[in-house]
Amino acid sequence: MVSRSYSNLLDLASGDTSTFGRVGKRLPRVMTVAGIISELDDDNCNSVSSDVPSSISQERMIIVGNQLPLLAHRRSDGGGWNFSWDEDSLLLQLKDGLGEDVEVIYVGCLREEIDPSEQDDVAQTLLETFKCVPAFLPPDLFTRFYHGFCKQHLWPLFHYMLPLSPDLGGRFDRSLWQAYVSVNKIFADKVMEVINPDDDFVWVHDYHLMVLPTFLRKRFNRMKLGFFLHSPFPSSEIYRTLPVRDELLRALLNSDLIGFHTFDYARHFLSCCSRMLGLAYQSKRGYIGLEYYGRTVSIKILPVGIHMGQLRSVMNLPETESRVAELMDTFKGQTVLLGVDDMDIFKGISLKLLAMEQLLMQHLHWRGKVVLVQIANPARGRGRDVQEVQSETYSTAERINAKFGRPGYKPVILIDTPLQFYERISYYMIAECCLVTAVRDGMNLIPYEYIICRHGNEKLDVALQVNPSTLKKSMLVVSEFIGCSPSLSGAIRVNPWNIDAVAEAMDSALGVPESEKQLRHEKHYRYVSTHDVGYWAHSFLQDLERSCRDHLRRRCWGIGFGLGFRVIALDPNFRKLSVEHIVSAYKRTKNRAILLDYDGTMMPQTSINKIPNPEAIGFLNSLCRDPKNVVFLVSGRDKTTLTEWFSTCEKLGIAAEHGYFARLNQDEDWETCVNVADFDWKQTAEPVMKLYTETTDGSTIETKESALVWHYQYADPDFGSCQAKELLDHLESVLANEPVSVKSGQHIVEVKPQGVSKGLVAERLLSTMQRKGMLPDFVLCIGDDRSDEDMFEVITSAVEGPSLSPVAEVFACTVGQKPSKAKYYLEDTTEIVRMLQGLATASDQAARSSSQLSH
């Protein structure tokens, strides 16, 4: 038995033990103990064998899906298994877009159940022959995972079906959720067996594996990780009903890139992140990104395409040609409408049949001439829902045929037996129009396949009895609720629930002039043929590479437990403020300037009672009593409120209304920092703000002596943000000739006199201390929002100037990890208060020591 550790299961599979430790620098790390990584130092290897190219030196992509792209068949003698590629699998087809130089490894389940005694041999065979890593799941676990949580909870909910009763999807079952998490963890372990975390890309597919990114990110903080959702993502009103909604969102946000088929799906996901996690997104140079603990999670919007090569090769088969000729003969003199759908509740087959019935009732001239061929593929799920759909479909088809059928004419032909691919293509070829009336579907590639097949080839033109030089034509009637609908601008889009409208669309499609059918077909063909599955995969990989570009430049570490785990990523120059470090600097220095914001810094933004507690008053007084300190509270609040709240802090300097008013201590009078001739502009601004307050529930106006502020913290997040942008534009327009500035901040829009800023307070404080001969050698400035950035900028730029000591210690600190001019951050108000208490304690200790020495 070989006892040495292997760098990679692929080395073990190849049986190559001789080159271990002597391959190139891309040698994967060695997993010695679960979750613990050790490095192999191979930099000094000068062996000739290290120059030999190996598969490990290639760029690698690990593709993870619920099912491996393999077909498995038990050998006829019962002595093992035969495996082959599943040419219909999207995971296999996307290899075309990754390039010849990208090595692809697959991780997933097999469709067939493998006996535990055979699993090791099967795993070895699949790894050696197909570069596939199978995840073997116990049957009961697979049932609870796939048929339980995936098909009973996620799949219905993502297709807008709420479990309003036990019959509709079933109540939430936490044991099924636990099975889902367990399976995702098994998949993570399988990825760990083959990954080289510094170099490999990992691409996770679909809703079966939505928490997998968390398990992978927990193992390797800098993993290059993409996720693509192939189903719809529901609106926040639907998604928020899921009891594990936050866990799934946070898990997905551990990806570097999240892909969706349409903007609607992406918009719903972003709305959920905003409403449930408080995350805002922004668009930069055409890319949408979410800031999540210092990491930018990119959003990709691109519908998947079809595999052109596979489709064309099947079209070239002689079986296809002969089957097309047969069908042409069968439907001679009739116009064929075609539907191809899975037999499930969301594909809308029964609605399509009802529309066909309506067509024949309303338009008598189509009777005997139009046939609807409905190919009903077996459902992927199971249960009473599927049985009800089957029963309704069969009974509706029988009723229509009984009502409108006659000898030699059957208006609805229902095909519920599995068809080979070439047979399906043959039906595409002869259909004048393809109907897709799903009530909700993630993508649905049937229209794409239909378009390519209708373009035909020379052999099929003969079978179809058409002139090869004739322009091709096709017509599509598609539901507006499917993912491919936005990309098919020449299709007739319908609401599948409106039976009359669908029937009229079918009639319109049949009556469109030949020239227009040709134009619509050409438009669709150009798009579908250029946006194939290879284009989609290549585009996703490009965006994933872009999203991961800054990984090595950032410092990363993980925090949180379980599914709440996330990675904090920071710029090397932006770091957490160490309390020990700042207290040490505080004790060494003699002339200290301290500038403190209040709301969001010393007091949480979410707190309803904003009055400072005795603890805050206590440490502020300790800091103010220290003769080495000048302490200023710089707030956006009005001077009356601040005077009342901090009446017991006699030596505290206060700047109110973002620096418009200021006083050095209680014995001083309030001064205005900026000369303002008048406030007539308020008569223009206030009515505009009132208009937006009346139309935005939850918004309020705050009137200050120097400013007007519109607050929308308690409004609907999306509507409030939208209204704030409108208000900003409106105010900038009506106040264009006034000496004021209009700015947006954290849930506010503010109008104030030009020149008023917190940076002005910082400048005045430093210059005042300089005039008094107290050249500051310690500056601390803390704030949490955009208005505080002016202070950070002033004290940072003052380092090189005459207003600070040459050896001054400067601490510009923001609250939370976000883009900022500050060099330091602390996580929240709790950490800010703890740090200020540390400084206050140091001052109290120094005062006691001084008192003891004087006695």
Side-chain angles (χ1 to χ4, degrees), residues 61-70 89-92 94 104-111 131-137 142 145-146 150 180 183-184 186-188 190-191 194 201-210 212-213 216 225-230 536:
M61 170 74 84
I62 298 174
I63 295 175
V64 192
N66 176 44
Q67 288 188 339
L68 290 171
L70 294 174
S89 171
L90 176 68
L91 301 188
L92 179 66
L94 65 79
V104 176
I105 299 168
Y106 292 102
V107 177
C109 294
L110 287 166
R111 290 184 178 87
K131 291 185 180 175
C132 289
V133 180
F136 298 112
L137 304 178
F142 177 79
F145 155 69
Y146 184 76
C150 291
Y180 181 83
V183 169
N184 276 249
I186 290 171
F187 272 75
K190 291 298 176 182
V191 173
V194 291
F201 291 93
V202 180
W203 188 358
V204 181
H205 289 264
D206 222 4
Y207 64 93
H208 315 90
L209 302 171
M210 289 175 76
L212 179 57
L216 295 178
L225 179 56
F227 180 93
F228 199 94
L229 183 68
H230 293 274
W536 171 75

Side-chain angles (χ1 to χ4, degrees), residues 237-277:
E237 292 304 307
I238 298 292
Y239 180 79
R240 72 197 312 169
T241 63
L242 189 64
V244 290
R245 62 191 192 183
D246 288 4
E247 290 89 332
L248 288 179
L249 288 179
R250 292 192 186 280
L252 286 179
L253 290 170
N254 276 317
S255 307
D256 294 299
L257 177 66
I258 306 173
F260 299 93
H261 286 306
T262 71
F263 174 69
D264 272 351
Y265 303 162
R267 179 169 56 85
H268 294 157
F269 172 76
L270 293 169
S271 176
C272 288
C273 289
S274 170
R275 291 170 179 272
M276 290 159 218
L277 304 181

Side-chain angles (χ1 to χ4, degrees), residues 589-853:
T589 49
K590 298 179 180 178
N591 296 316
R592 311 182 190 113
I594 300 174
L595 295 143
L596 304 173
D597 175 45
Y598 183 68
D599 290 286
T601 301
M602 292 169 58
M603 177 63 64
Q605 290 281 9
T606 53
S607 178
I608 296 175
N609 182 7
K610 302 287 188 179
I611 300 173
N613 55 37
E615 180 187 34
I617 298 294
F619 66 67
L620 282 175
N621 276 327
S622 293
L623 292 171
C624 292
R625 280 194 298 265
D626 193 324
K628 299 176 181 178
N629 293 346
V630 177
V631 183
F632 245 91
L633 187 80
V634 189
S635 172
R637 290 187 176 272
D638 62 88
K639 64 181 183 181
T640 305
T641 301
L642 294 174
T643 301
E644 180 186 339
W645 284 359
F646 297 96
S647 58
T648 55
C649 301
E650 297 178 3
K651 296 184 179 181
L652 177 66
I654 298 178
E657 301 190 13
H658 289 139
Y660 181 73
F661 295 108
R663 72 176 191 196
L664 199 58
N665 53 54
Q666 270 194 19
D667 298 332
E668 304 277 344
D669 292 328
W670 287 98
E671 297 178 2
T672 55
C673 300
V674 176
N675 292 321
V676 178
D678 60 64
F679 290 94
D680 292 346
W681 54 266
K682 283 188 177 182
Q683 296 172 11
T684 305
E686 194 165 19
V688 175
M689 283 191 173
K690 282 184 177 177
L691 174 67
Y692 283 81
T693 304
E694 289 168 5
T695 57
T696 312
D697 190 35
S699 65
T700 56
I701 299 173
E702 180 186 2
T703 303
K704 303 178 184 178
E705 285 189 49
S706 68
L708 289 172
V709 187
W710 187 72
H711 295 266
Y712 62 96
Q713 182 179 358
Y714 300 111
D716 178 89
D718 291 336
F719 185 57
S721 177
C722 177
Q723 290 288 80
K725 290 174 186 172
E726 289 292 324
L727 176 59
L728 189 73
D729 289 344
H730 198 156
L731 289 171
E732 284 178 342
S733 174
V734 298
L735 299 173
N737 298 320
E738 300 287 349
V740 295
S741 63
V742 184
K743 290 187 176 180
S744 62
Q746 197 166 20
H747 299 119
I748 65 163
V749 174
E750 183 174 34
V751 186
K752 60 184 179 182
Q754 287 177 351
V756 174
S757 75
K758 290 186 177 182
L760 193 63
V761 179
E763 285 177 359
R764 289 186 59 154
L765 176 60
L766 296 180
S767 61
T768 302
M769 291 180 71
Q770 185 184 14
R771 281 199 311 271
K772 292 183 177 182
M774 298 173 61
L775 204 61
D777 55 3
F778 175 98
V779 181
L780 170 63
C781 179
I782 312 175
D784 74 306
D785 67 13
R786 196 176 300 172
S787 65
D788 302 303
E789 295 294 317
D790 296 328
M791 288 197 294
F792 299 150
E793 188 173 17
V794 167
I795 68 164
T796 304
S797 58
V799 172
E800 305 296 330
S803 56
L804 293 183
S805 164
V807 291
E809 302 256 20
V810 176
F811 298 92
C813 178
T814 189
V815 183
Q817 299 160 55
K818 54 181 178 280
S820 174
K821 292 171 184 172
K823 187 178 178 181
Y824 299 96
Y825 77 94
L826 285 171
E827 288 289 353
D828 50 32
T829 55
T830 306
E831 291 192 356
I832 298 288
V833 168
R834 191 181 303 134
M835 184 268 292
L836 292 173
Q837 284 174 329
L839 299 184
T841 302
S843 284
D844 290 340
Q845 289 172 348
R848 282 195 295 270
S849 298
S850 176
S851 176
Q852 289 169 0
L853 287 173

Side-chain angles (χ1 to χ4, degrees), residues 365-432:
H365 61 281
W366 290 123
R367 295 182 186 181
K369 297 178 182 178
V370 173
V371 175
L372 172 62
V373 176
Q374 176 62 54
I375 298 173
N377 302 317
R380 299 179 195 183
R382 61 192 188 192
R384 200 167 73 183
D385 290 338
V386 174
Q387 293 169 2
E388 288 175 355
V389 169
Q390 289 175 333
S391 175
E392 184 182 6
T393 301
Y394 295 142
S395 61
T396 306
E398 287 173 9
R399 186 183 73 243
I400 295 170
N401 287 334
K403 190 173 182 180
F404 299 104
R406 57 176 186 248
Y409 173 63
K410 205 175 172 183
V412 175
I413 296 176
L414 190 60
I415 303 173
D416 59 356
T417 54
L419 293 181
Q420 293 195 44
F421 195 25
Y422 81 87
E423 292 182 278
R424 193 166 89 209
I425 284 179
S426 302
Y427 278 103
Y428 287 143
M429 298 298 308
I430 66 156
E432 191 68 18

Side-chain angles (χ1 to χ4, degrees), residues 105-362:
I105 299 168
Y106 292 102
V107 177
C109 294
L110 287 166
R111 290 184 178 87
E112 305 296 329
E113 187 181 332
I114 307 296
D115 190 87
S117 63
E118 300 176 290
Q119 287 177 3
D120 286 346
D121 289 340
V122 167
Q124 181 82 359
T125 300
L126 295 184
L127 196 58
E128 290 175 355
T129 311
F130 299 96
K131 291 185 180 175
C132 289
V133 180
F136 298 112
L137 304 178
D140 62 323
L141 179 63
F142 177 79
T143 299
R144 286 184 289 127
F145 155 69
Y146 184 76
H147 295 291
F149 193 78
C150 291
K151 287 299 182 183
Q152 282 184 32
H153 292 316
L154 286 184
W155 190 73
L157 189 81
F158 280 20
H159 289 76
Y160 288 72
M161 182 176 171
L162 289 173
L164 298 175
S165 71
D167 295 336
L168 296 172
R171 302 291 190 217
F172 182 79
D173 185 338
R174 191 154 291 274
S175 69
L176 300 182
W177 162 247
Q178 289 164 351
Y180 181 83
V181 173
S182 298
V183 169
N184 276 249
K185 180 124 183 0
I186 290 171
F187 272 75
D189 293 337
K190 291 298 176 182
V191 173
M192 289 301 110
E193 292 178 4
V194 291
I195 192 170
N196 175 5
D198 292 329
D199 299 310
D200 294 349
F201 291 93
V202 180
W203 188 358
V204 181
H205 289 264
D206 222 4
Y207 64 93
H208 315 90
L209 302 171
M210 289 175 76
V211 298
L212 179 57
T214 288
F215 292 123
L216 295 178
R217 185 70 65 192
K218 191 179 289 188
R219 306 286 182 91
F220 298 110
N221 293 346
R222 289 191 177 89
M223 182 176 285
K224 302 169 185 175
L225 179 56
F227 180 93
F228 199 94
L229 183 68
H230 293 274
S231 77
F233 195 93
S235 71
S236 61
E237 292 304 307
I238 298 292
Y239 180 79
R240 72 197 312 169
T241 63
L242 189 64
V244 290
R245 62 191 192 183
D246 288 4
E247 290 89 332
L248 288 179
L249 288 179
R250 292 192 186 280
L252 286 179
L253 290 170
N254 276 317
S255 307
D256 294 299
L257 177 66
I258 306 173
F260 299 93
H261 286 306
T262 71
F263 174 69
D264 272 351
Y265 303 162
R267 179 169 56 85
H268 294 157
F269 172 76
L270 293 169
S271 176
C272 288
C273 289
S274 170
R275 291 170 179 272
M276 290 159 218
L277 304 181
L279 301 176
Y281 71 91
Q282 53 189 354
S283 182
K284 291 182 181 176
R285 296 182 179 178
Y287 296 106
I288 299 173
L290 274 164
E291 287 296 322
Y292 187 60
Y293 291 93
R295 293 171 50 246
T296 299
V297 181
S298 298
I299 303 299
K300 173 79 172 172
I301 302 167
L302 184 67
V304 71
I306 59 174
H307 193 282
M308 295 289 292
Q310 182 205 19
L311 206 55
R312 283 173 173 158
S313 65
V314 178
M315 287 168 66
N316 285 323
L317 294 176
E319 295 98 313
T320 306
E321 186 182 352
S322 59
R323 183 60 176 149
V324 168
E326 289 174 16
L327 292 175
M328 285 294 292
D329 188 51
T330 302
F331 296 104
K332 192 171 184 179
Q334 296 177 337
T335 301
V336 176
L337 303 176
L338 179 67
V340 182
D341 304 276
D342 291 347
M343 185 74 82
D344 72 47
I345 55 176
F346 298 113
K347 293 302 188 287
I349 296 177
S350 58
L351 295 175
K352 189 186 304 180
L353 297 181
L354 291 173
M356 179 64 179
E357 182 178 33
Q358 189 74 2
L359 174 73
L360 297 176
M361 288 170 61
Q362 298 285 343

